Each structure stands twice: as C-alpha cells, then as structure tokens.
C-alpha cells in the first residue's frame, strides 16, 4: 500500500449534489419528445471518475488492476464495460475508471491495496467531467454531423473509445452497445453540448430518458 493521502472527497454531510445540467431540468422533459424518436439522451450524472496511471507492460500492474476491479486492462482505443463500471484506455500509461456514484473512494482504496508499492498514480476527477449517453437508431447520423472522426461500423465497433474533436470542441466518444454511445464531456462545456445535441438531433426527434 502506498503512503498517498487518500480521503473521501464526496460530502457526507447531507449536502445536495447537482450535475452540470441540473439547471436544464432534464427530468421535466422525460416523455415530452417526439414519439419513436431517433435519438434518446440520458445524463449519467454524478458518477465516480478516476484516472489510473502505471506501466501497462508490467504484469504486476495489470494483475493488480484485475484483482481490484475484476476487469482486464484494456488495450489501445478500447473500453470495457462491466455492469455499471467501465475501464477505458486513455494513453499508453493511463486509463479511466468509472464507477457508480459514491463508490470511487472504495475503488481507489482497493486499487492502491492491490497495486502495493508499484509506481502508480490515481486521481479522482469526478468533479470535472460527466457522461451523456445517446441511444437510438439515428445516433450515428448525429455523430456524423458532429465529428470528423470516422464512425462507420467497420472503423468504430462496439468497445471502441476515442478522444476527438466534436462540435468544435473536444471530448471522448465511447461505443458501448450496438445503438448506444457515450460522450465523456467536461462539465464546463455541458451547456454547449446539450444545445448542440438538441439542434443536431432535431430532424430525427430527440427524447430525454431519466
């Protein structure tokens, strides 16, 4: 176990947490979109986000991550989803772990215990980013409007994740299921992308899911 100072960052005093799109009141829009909409958006809010850095070529590092999470270390440009937890490759020595709300502290403790004295870094970045999930038959059409990255099935299969330019800014696109994609976005750009998605999805119909 490292000597790093690990502490619970999520308030336990009853303070009310709000997502970056709280003011948009997405819950009030549920059921008000076009019936059989081609695109459905869901805000996956207040999840635990941890960046993990280490030597991906070190068998001990890979084994430690697997021991702590029950997930194999993903290779380049891939994301592995296991229930409500996912692990994504960000770079040659960096991965992103996303866990259900409130589980990030325990996940970090488990990782540090399993990785022992290895040269690693684990940072809680939950407050800086969140996920918008897009599903439906026309999501790929919206993506083609929004990014120059090739999202054709031959180039962007399920399980792939890439950082790219999207709507004149940057985010990560994750293809998690056949008709389901996730946008990993910075909180400070949430308004911009929410407005963009409304416009880009207008011709197909956009609905909001709780």
């Amino acid at each position: 176990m490292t000597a790093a100072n690990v502490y619970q960052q999520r308030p336990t005093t009853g303070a009310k947490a709000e997502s970056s799109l709280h003011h948009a009141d997405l819950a009030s829009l549920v059921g008000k979109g076009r019936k059989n909409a081609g695109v459905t958006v869901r805000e996956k809010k207040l999840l635990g986000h941890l960046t993990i850095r280490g030597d991906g070529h070190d068998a001990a590092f890979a084994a430690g991550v697997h021991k702590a999470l029950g997930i194999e270390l993903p290779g380049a440009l891939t994301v592995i989803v296991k229930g409500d937890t996912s692990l994504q490759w960000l770079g040659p020595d960096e991965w992103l772990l996303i866990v259900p709300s409130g589980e990030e502290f325990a996940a970090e403790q488990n990782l540090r215990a399993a990785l022992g004295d290895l040269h690693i870094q684990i940072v809680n970045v939950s407050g800086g980013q969140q996920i918008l999930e897009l599903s439906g038959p026309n999501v790929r059409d919206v993506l083609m409007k929004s990014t120059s990255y090739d999202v054709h099935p031959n180039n962007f299969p399920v399980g792939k994740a890439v950082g790219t330019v999207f709507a004149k800014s940057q985010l990560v696109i994750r293809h998690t299921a056949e008709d389901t994609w996730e946008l990993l976005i910075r909180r400070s750009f949430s308004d911009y992308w929410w407005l963009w998605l409304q416009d880009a999805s207008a011709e197909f119909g956009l609905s909001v899911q709780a």
Side-chain angles (χ1 to χ4, degrees), residues 9 15 17 52 58 63 70 74 118 145 154-157 172 206:
Q9 297 186 43
I52 307 168
D58 184 349
L118 295 178
K145 286 185 176 185
N154 292 341
N155 186 63
F156 212 134
V172 174
L206 178 67

Side-chain angles (χ1 to χ4, degrees), residues 49-53 90 94-97 121-123 125:
H49 295 236
L50 300 170
T51 57
I52 307 168
R53 303 199 71 165
L90 293 179
E94 186 174 11
W95 292 262
L96 174 67
L97 171 66
Q121 181 187 70
I122 303 172
V123 180
V125 295

Side-chain angles (χ1 to χ4, degrees), residues 33-56:
R34 184 191 306 177
K35 293 187 181 299
N36 301 316
V39 180
T40 297
V41 62
R42 179 166 72 103
E43 184 187 18
K44 300 180 73 172
K45 55 188 178 181
L46 304 178
L47 300 179
H49 295 236
L50 300 170
T51 57
I52 307 168
R53 303 199 71 165
D55 184 356

Side-chain angles (χ1 to χ4, degrees), residues 168-184:
K168 300 182 181 180
S169 189
Q170 291 182 320
L171 49 60
V172 174
I173 304 176
R174 299 153 44 109
H175 194 182
T176 55
E178 189 58 38
D179 286 329
T180 304
W181 304 69
E182 292 179 346
L183 305 181
L184 177 65

Side-chain angles (χ1 to χ4, degrees), residues 3-193:
N5 183 19
V6 182
Y7 59 95
Q8 174 63 273
Q9 297 186 43
R10 187 177 293 270
T12 57
T13 59
K16 184 179 179 181
E18 294 182 349
S19 78
S20 56
L21 285 174
H22 172 78
H23 63 284
D25 194 15
L26 298 188
S28 69
L29 302 177
V30 175
K32 294 184 178 179
R34 184 191 306 177
K35 293 187 181 299
N36 301 316
V39 180
T40 297
V41 62
R42 179 166 72 103
E43 184 187 18
K44 300 180 73 172
K45 55 188 178 181
L46 304 178
L47 300 179
H49 295 236
L50 300 170
T51 57
I52 307 168
R53 303 199 71 165
D55 184 356
H57 299 293
D58 184 349
F61 175 74
V65 171
H66 183 262
K67 178 182 178 181
L69 306 176
I71 302 176
E72 298 287 348
L73 207 59
L77 301 181
T78 60
V79 57
I80 298 175
V81 179
K82 184 179 180 182
D84 294 325
T85 299
S86 66
L87 187 62
Q88 177 194 335
W89 182 93
L90 293 179
D93 66 350
E94 186 174 11
W95 292 262
L96 174 67
L97 171 66
I98 298 181
V99 297
S101 179
E103 295 186 12
E104 59 273 18
F105 182 50
E108 181 173 357
Q109 290 180 308
N110 291 339
L111 280 164
R112 291 190 181 279
L115 295 170
D117 294 326
L118 295 178
H119 185 64
I120 62 166
Q121 181 187 70
I122 303 172
V123 180
N124 187 332
V125 295
S126 305
Q129 57 192 36
Q130 72 170 47
I131 287 178
L132 294 179
E133 180 188 82
L134 304 178
S135 58
N138 294 113
V139 174
R140 197 184 300 272
D141 298 299
V142 171
L143 295 177
M144 287 191 291
K145 286 185 176 185
S146 307
T147 180
S148 60
Y149 195 87
D150 184 2
V151 295
H152 189 277
N154 292 341
N155 186 63
F156 212 134
V158 173
K160 187 170 183 177
V162 299
T164 185
V165 173
F166 185 101
K168 300 182 181 180
S169 189
Q170 291 182 320
L171 49 60
V172 174
I173 304 176
R174 299 153 44 109
H175 194 182
T176 55
E178 189 58 38
D179 286 329
T180 304
W181 304 69
E182 292 179 346
L183 305 181
L184 177 65
I185 65 175
R186 286 174 286 175
R187 285 180 61 97
S188 57
F189 278 69
S190 296
D191 279 334
Y192 172 67
W193 279 309

